């Protein structure tokens, strides 16, 4: 029996993911749309002996070419031609939700309308006549509750029916006589001249009149394209004269006009809006005086839970890997294989595996914040700060705060940003937030050189990270991301109680990607560094005679102008790429003092002066995203370009900053 | 009285007369319901004075004042 291909579509925050999870359970797969950084969720399920493949389309308000998500969705509808599209609609917010519905009907999609969250609509006092709405639109309209599967049987029954005998919606949508007439006229011209477009020609006609960039481009590229476009110009001019506005605006007005008519006939609304629970919560949460303190408290709580609850598990994993290493060493003795497994695989992968509990907890917290609706309020409260300071969206604040704990979850939290450029820019500055893995390095140097001013020195390093992030962001805004507007337009959805199932699925699907990456990219890097540290054969692991040692010796002169041109520092920095705290243990083994902190301090005091020590700390703060962060950037941007770029420019910045500190210090007489 | 959206105080409401300017953001907002004749109410302004939250077509959305300048309102 042939599988039935369905897609879920709808506005953001209407319970689309909930419906998807309820339908597919854990039988789902999360990936990316080809060549895009937009998440693609696929799954399958059975209903009454029929097999369904289901795709969760990105949440969209419309199908113009405003965002990558919108283009992905409409390309899917045009090219993949799913049997049925289930359009999930917020019953309490019909008017705006139906705008997308109208656009999908224009595009020739075979729809079933699922009215979700009817309880909210009831609360608002709405009375929706689904039969009437169905009759007017020419598609089935079914009331459901995605959270508890109410109405699922009826929904699936209709999906099945519509997959066998598609809806007939011809002539349902009315834009008024004037527009309809000219759309038809253009439609004929397109039919005569263009044969290479999959989409319905009425849709193409409408989009051409609206000056949709993507569609105009496609027509330009096809034969006879110019002929069609010159007709478009004529019609546009005519409509412009008639309506006194651009066609774009006129068509949008017309769609909303049609929707207003639908609502008029099928929905009864109370005259005065009732005060909702969300309203009451918002009066406190976004209050002029309480808004910021509440935001800071919630951020602190997220941070606390992620790192405090995660810590014991982290220690457990750390102990587990150390134990495993011990067992392997004891069993295999000192040798090639033992070193590969212990120093290479366990050292590398184990160093990153300790982040797993933290990452899972963080994603749990983030899903709760997002699903409840608070994330939107946080962005609302913080937007002005972020906009003025770094020219970013209010939501960028969260990844940056998280970066202080660990940059990996910080990078992953950029997923909550809708705008791709916002996402990339935020990813580039998150690594400058001083993560907790850098703290052991500072602790070592501060204790050895700045015992009298520990707090101040530490504080200055953290502050420097923030300052650099702000400077870098404004630099990139003027160059790399020039012309980036990152407008702040965001829906503030009603507060909702997050479901346990939803939060757990979110946590798992995002955390799992990290685990899978550890098994591939991080393992490969770990083995590479191990090989470099063990060759040539017979050399002591990571000594000056090894390739890594040679590398350290070769690149040491690069650091000489910064005041730490010895080969040990260079090797420590190379290993710091693994994880920044490894700098400490590398110094330990290079100076042959092991875990003895006092002896290590003494050894460092022989090599560094307070000035070069400070420069070294700054260098460690800025110089490169660690392997795990690097991998996270690779995964989130879906390309090698960004992590490599991030590594490259942060190296330059670190070098310059350390240079300024060293030579500035010398000039001021701190030598 | 006719004014622009950014001038409205918390709790004030009006009807959209026109949305001036060009560009993608304008188009996007119009598709989200900022069309001529829509009712709009200022729900609140962020603690730091920007952005603002408005209610339109029965839902809440936030936008910066720099965009709200383009939206002409007949205050009701």
């Amino acid at each position: 029996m042939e599988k039935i291909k369905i897609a879920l579509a709808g506005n953001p925050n209407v319970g689309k993911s909930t419906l998807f999870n309820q339908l597919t359970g854990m039988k789902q797969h999360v990936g990316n749309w080809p060549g895009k950084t937009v998440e693609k969720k696929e799954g399958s399920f059975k209903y009454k002996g029929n097999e369904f493949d289901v795709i969760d389309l990105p949440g969209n308000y419309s199908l113009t070419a405003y965002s990558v998500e919108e283009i992905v969705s409409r390309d899917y509808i045009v090219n993949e031609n799913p049997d049925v599209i289930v359009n999930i609609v917020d019953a309490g917010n019909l008017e705006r939700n139906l705008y997308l519905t109208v656009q999908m009907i224009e595009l020739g999609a075979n729809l079933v309308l699922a009215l979700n969250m009817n309880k909210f609509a009831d609360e608002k006092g709405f009375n929706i006549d689904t039969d009437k709405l169905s009759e007017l639109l020419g598609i089935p309209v079914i009331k459901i509750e995605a959270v508890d599967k109410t109405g699922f049987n009826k929904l699936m029954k209709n999906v099945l029916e519509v997959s066998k005998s598609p809806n007939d919606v011809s002539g349902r949508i009315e834009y008024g006589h004037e527009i309809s007439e000219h759309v038809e006229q253009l439609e004929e011209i397109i039919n005569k001249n263009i044969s290479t477009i999959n989409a319905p020609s009425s849709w193409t006609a409408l989009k051409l009149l609206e000056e949709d960039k993507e569609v105009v481009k496609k027509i330009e590229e096809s034969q006879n394209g110019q002929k069609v476009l010159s007709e478009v110009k004529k019609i546009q001019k005519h409509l412009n004269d008639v309506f006194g506005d651009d066609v774009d605006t006129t068509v949008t007005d017309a769609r909303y006009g049609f929707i207003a008519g639908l609502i008029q006939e099928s929905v009864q609304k109370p005259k005065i809006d009732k005060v909702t629970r969300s309203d009451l919560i918002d009066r406190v949460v976004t209050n002029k005086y309480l808004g910021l303190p509440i935001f800071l408290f919630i951020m602190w709580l997220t941070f606390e839970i992620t790192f405090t609850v995660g810590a014991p598990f982290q220690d457990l994993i750390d102990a587990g890997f150390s134990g495993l290493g011990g067992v392997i060493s004891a069993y295999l003795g000192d040798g090639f294989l033992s070193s590969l497994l212990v120093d290479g695989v366990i050292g590398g992968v184990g160093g990153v595996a300790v982040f797993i509990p933290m990452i899972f907890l963080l994603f749990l917290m983030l899903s709760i914040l997002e699903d409840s609706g608070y994330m939107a309020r946080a962005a609302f409260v913080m937007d002005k700060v972020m906009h003025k300071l770094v020219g970013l969206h209010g939501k960028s604040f969260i990844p940056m705060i998280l970066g202080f704990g660990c940059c990996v979850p910080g990078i992953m939290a950029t997923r909550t940003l809708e705008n791709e450029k916002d996402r990339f820019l935020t990813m580039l500055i998150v690594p400058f937030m001083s993560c907790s893995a850098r703290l052991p390095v500072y602790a070592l140097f501060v204790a050895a050189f700045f015992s009298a001013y520990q707090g101040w020195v530490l504080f200055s390093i953290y502050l420097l990270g923030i300052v650099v992030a702000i400077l870098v962001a404004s630099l990139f805004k003027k160059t790399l991301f020039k012309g980036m507007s990152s407008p702040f337009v965001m829906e503030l959805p009603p507060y909702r109680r997050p479901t346990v199932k939803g939060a757990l699925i979110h946590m798992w699907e995002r955390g799992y990607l990290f685990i899978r990456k550890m098994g591939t990219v991080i393992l490969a890097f770990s083995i590479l560094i191990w090989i470099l540290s063990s060759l040539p054969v017979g050399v002591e692991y990571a000594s000056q005679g090894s390739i890594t040692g040679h590398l350290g010796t070769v690149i040491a002169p690069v650091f000489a102008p910064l005041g730490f041109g010895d080969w040990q520092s260079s090797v420590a920095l190379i290993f710091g790429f693994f994880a920044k705290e490894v700098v400490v243990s590398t110094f330990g083994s290079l100076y042959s003092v092991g875990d003895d902190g006092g002896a290590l301090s003494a050894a460092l005091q022989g090599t560094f002066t307070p000035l070069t020590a400070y420069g070294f700390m700054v260098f460690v703060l800025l110089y490169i995203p660690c392997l795990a962060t690097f991998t996270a950037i690779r995964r989130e941007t879906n390309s090698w370009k960004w992590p490599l770029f991030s590594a490259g420019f942060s190296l330059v910045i670190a070098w310059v900053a350390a240079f300024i500190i060293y030579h500035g210090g010398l000039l001021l007489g701190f030598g | 009285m006719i004014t622009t959206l950014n001038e409205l105080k918390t709790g004030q409401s009006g009807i959209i007369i026109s949305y001036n300017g060009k560009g993608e953001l304008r188009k996007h907002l119009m598709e989200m319901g900022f069309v001529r004749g829509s009712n709009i109410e200022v729900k609140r302004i962020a603690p730091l004075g920007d952005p603002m939250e408005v209610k339109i077509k029965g839902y809440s959305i936030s936008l910066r004042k720099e965009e709200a300048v383009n939206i002409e309102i007949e205050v009701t």
Side-chain angles (χ1 to χ4, degrees):
Chain A
M1 174 142 197
E2 198 145 307
K3 283 185 178 179
I4 299 169
K5 194 155 81 173
I6 67 174
L8 306 184
N11 287 185
N13 307 306
V14 295
K16 209 159 55 67
S17 301
T18 313
L19 178 65
F20 182 77
N21 290 337
Q22 294 281 23
L23 286 175
T24 61
M26 293 306 277
K27 272 188 151 177
Q28 49 174 275
H29 169 77
V30 184
N32 274 334
W33 291 87
K36 303 271 166 40
T37 52
V38 180
E39 208 167 72
K40 181 185 193 182
K41 293 207 279 187
E42 294 171 276
S44 60
F45 66 97
K46 276 189 184 172
Y47 174 79
K48 295 217 167 136
N50 295 278
E51 279 191 65
F52 290 86
D53 277 335
V54 49
I55 285 216
D56 191 14
L57 293 174
N60 288 323
Y61 294 109
S62 137
L63 289 179
T64 39
Y66 178 71
S67 67
V68 194
E69 283 81 0
E70 295 184 356
I71 296 173
V72 162
S73 295
R74 76 181 198 194
D75 282 353
Y76 175 82
I77 297 174
V78 172
N79 300 327
E80 298 294 320
N81 204 12
D83 295 312
V84 182
I85 292 182
V86 178
N87 178 196
I88 303 124
V89 160
D90 175 358
N93 194 355
L94 261 187
E95 214 169 336
R96 195 203 64 213
N97 276 254
L98 286 174
Y99 191 84
L100 179 71
T101 310
V102 167
Q103 289 200 316
M104 286 197 290
I105 295 176
E106 287 169 0
L107 197 45
N110 194 25
L111 291 182
V112 172
L113 206 65
L115 288 186
N116 193 21
M117 304 195 282
N118 295 285
K119 280 178 203 149
F120 278 102
D122 292 345
E123 245 175 63
K124 283 184 171 175
F126 290 3
N127 188 358
I128 302 168
D129 182 348
T130 49
D131 292 339
K132 188 78 192 171
L133 193 58
S134 167
E135 187 195 317
L136 292 170
L137 279 169
I139 61 179
V141 179
I142 289 102
K143 280 191 183 179
I144 63 162
E145 285 307 325
V147 274
D148 59 11
K149 293 194 173 187
T150 305
F152 272 32
N153 259 321
K154 198 171 171 203
L155 177 68
M156 289 317 299
K157 203 178 118 237
N158 277 279
V159 168
L160 209 55
E161 272 169 23
V162 168
S163 74
K164 294 194 177 106
S165 57
N167 301 315
D168 177 20
V169 292
S170 54
R172 294 282 176 167
I173 300 175
E174 313 239 354
Y175 307 108
H177 182 67
E178 186 69 34
I179 298 176
S180 299
E181 189 183 303
H182 288 97
V183 169
E184 275 166 35
Q185 180 195 344
L186 188 56
E187 206 181 318
E188 273 171 38
I189 297 169
I190 293 170
N191 282 337
K192 243 183 260 163
N193 292 292
I194 311 262
S195 55
T196 48
I197 301 263
N198 281 341
S201 42
S202 59
W203 180 78
T204 308
L206 203 53
K207 287 289 140 182
L208 284 175
L209 290 175
E210 285 186 279
E211 287 183 58
D212 184 287
K213 273 188 240 151
E214 297 271 317
V215 177
V216 171
K217 211 176 101 202
K218 271 190 195 141
I219 298 294
E220 264 173 1
E221 284 162 2
S222 51
Q223 234 185 351
N224 300 331
Q226 289 311 324
K227 200 168 151 195
V228 174
L229 288 178
S230 75
E231 283 300 319
V232 170
K233 281 269 162 335
K234 270 187 230 160
I235 297 174
Q236 272 176 338
K237 174 144 193 334
H238 171 74
L239 290 174
N240 238 328
D241 292 342
V242 174
F243 292 98
D245 219 331
D246 45 13
V247 183
D248 209 0
T249 309
T250 308
V251 172
T252 309
D253 275 352
R255 286 198 191 101
Y256 267 111
F258 169 69
I259 293 167
L262 286 180
I263 302 276
Q264 183 87 42
E265 293 200 38
S266 60
V267 185
Q268 280 179 309
K269 283 191 213 181
K271 281 242 162 62
I272 300 161
D273 292 341
K274 289 186 186 170
V275 176
T276 57
R277 203 174 36 137
S278 281
D279 244 337
L280 296 176
I281 299 175
D282 265 341
R283 277 182 203 171
V284 180
V285 167
T286 58
N287 179 279
K288 196 170 175 184
Y289 304 103
L290 295 174
L292 278 168
I294 289 175
F295 166 74
L296 292 174
F297 172 74
I298 290 181
M299 280 302 108
W300 172 83
L301 198 69
T302 307
F303 207 70
E304 264 307 287
I305 291 179
T306 308
F307 297 107
T308 324
V309 178
F313 295 100
Q314 213 165 337
D315 294 342
L316 214 65
I317 290 179
D318 199 19
F321 274 98
S322 307
L324 189 64
V327 170
I328 292 173
S329 307
Y331 190 69
L332 294 174
D334 269 351
F336 175 76
L337 188 62
S338 153
S339 173
L340 169 65
L341 290 176
V342 176
D343 297 324
V345 174
I346 293 180
V349 174
V352 182
V354 294
F355 294 123
I356 291 176
M358 230 165 60
I359 285 167
F360 271 74
L361 277 165
L362 174 85
F363 281 142
L364 183 66
M365 294 301 293
L366 284 182
S367 334
I368 293 172
L369 287 183
E370 243 181 302
D371 295 353
S372 67
Y374 181 73
M375 194 73 99
R377 273 72 185 185
F380 179 67
V381 169
M382 283 311 292
D383 182 64
K384 185 160 186 191
V385 177
M386 295 306 291
H387 186 51
K388 283 271 175 301
L389 227 48
V390 285
L392 278 168
H393 193 281
K395 278 189 186 172
S396 296
F397 196 79
I398 290 147
M400 289 176 70
I401 283 269
L402 290 166
F404 284 115
C406 173
C407 294
V408 175
I411 298 285
M412 292 185 166
T414 58
R415 288 222 159 174
T416 56
L417 296 165
E418 284 104 26
N419 184 311
E420 195 171 60
K421 283 179 176 168
D422 273 349
R423 214 148 56 207
F424 288 173
L425 183 51
T426 309
M427 272 187 244
L428 290 177
I429 60 174
V430 163
F432 295 123
M433 302 294 110
S434 194
C435 70
S436 57
R438 281 167 245 194
L439 197 57
V441 184
Y442 308 149
L444 175 70
F445 278 84
V446 166
F449 294 96
F450 304 102
S451 49
Y453 310 100
Q454 295 202 2
W456 284 108
V457 169
L458 215 55
F459 180 70
S460 70
I461 296 271
Y462 275 82
L463 196 66
L464 183 72
I466 299 171
V467 171
V468 168
I470 293 172
L471 290 177
V472 166
S474 46
L475 174 75
F476 283 155
K477 287 281 285 199
K478 289 192 186 95
T479 53
L480 202 58
F481 296 104
K482 203 173 171 166
M484 159 180 157
S485 57
S486 73
F488 186 77
V489 169
M490 188 183 58
E491 192 187 350
L492 295 164
Y495 287 99
R496 276 175 213 128
R497 193 192 302 271
T499 63
V500 177
K501 193 176 176 184
L504 289 179
I505 288 181
H506 268 154
M507 175 182 87
W508 172 250
E509 69 189 18
R510 291 173 175 181
Y512 175 71
L513 288 173
F514 181 75
I515 295 184
R516 212 177 54 183
K517 223 56 203 183
M518 265 184 22
T520 52
V521 175
I522 296 180
L523 182 66
F525 268 98
S526 306
I527 291 174
L528 178 72
I529 294 195
W530 177 83
I531 291 172
L532 294 178
S533 304
S534 315
L535 291 177
V537 181
V539 81
E540 196 187 327
Y541 184 70
S543 65
Q544 196 174 11
S546 69
I547 295 183
T548 312
H550 279 300
L551 225 58
T553 314
V554 170
I555 64 167
V558 175
F559 300 117
L562 312 181
F564 40 89
D566 54 309
W567 72 270
Q568 290 95 333
S569 298
S570 302
V571 172
L573 289 172
I574 293 174
F575 278 93
F577 174 56
F578 256 140
K580 299 234 168 154
E581 72 269 27
V582 172
V583 168
V584 175
S585 56
T586 310
F587 272 128
S589 59
L590 292 178
Y591 290 125
S592 316
V593 289
D595 286 341
D596 184 349
L600 185 52
S601 283
L604 287 173
Q605 278 160 357
T607 320
F608 288 88
T609 67
L611 182 61
T612 56
Y614 193 80
F616 189 80
M617 284 194 285
V618 168
F619 196 82
V620 169
L621 163 73
L622 303 172
Y623 82 113
I624 202 169
C626 71
L627 178 55
T629 310
F630 186 85
T631 316
I633 299 177
R634 152 85 185 88
R635 173 64 256 118
E636 292 301 311
T637 59
N638 213 3
S639 86
W640 286 103
K641 192 178 83 186
W642 290 103
L644 286 172
F645 176 69
S646 169
F649 87 79
S650 40
L651 271 171
V652 171
I653 284 170
W655 196 92
V656 171
F659 184 86
I660 292 172
I661 285 168
Y662 181 53
H663 288 275
L666 285 181
L667 282 177
L668 293 173
F670 286 117
Chain B
M1 188 183 68
I2 292 176
T3 181
T4 50
L5 179 58
N6 61 306
E7 297 290 337
L8 257 53
K9 304 265 179 300
T10 303
Q12 274 190 303
S13 60
I15 291 168
I16 296 182
I17 298 175
S18 73
Y19 192 151
N20 303 321
K22 274 246 156 228
E24 291 192 347
L25 183 58
R26 171 172 173 268
K27 167 96 177 155
H28 186 60
L29 278 172
M30 287 202 310
E31 294 194 307
M32 291 183 80
F34 287 70
V35 289
R36 204 180 291 127
S38 288
N39 250 306
I40 190 162
E41 182 195 341
V42 176
K43 300 288 288 181
R44 55 184 61 81
I45 290 166
L48 298 171
D50 200 24
M52 63 201 305
E53 177 186 344
V54 299
K55 191 169 183 186
I56 189 162
K57 305 265 178 213
Y59 75 99
S60 293
I61 183 170
S62 63
L63 73 163
R64 292 193 186 126
K65 286 184 174 171
E66 61 190 32
E67 188 60 28
V69 172
N70 300 323
I71 303 170
E72 274 183 59
I73 306 287
E74 161 99 66
V75 181
T76 50

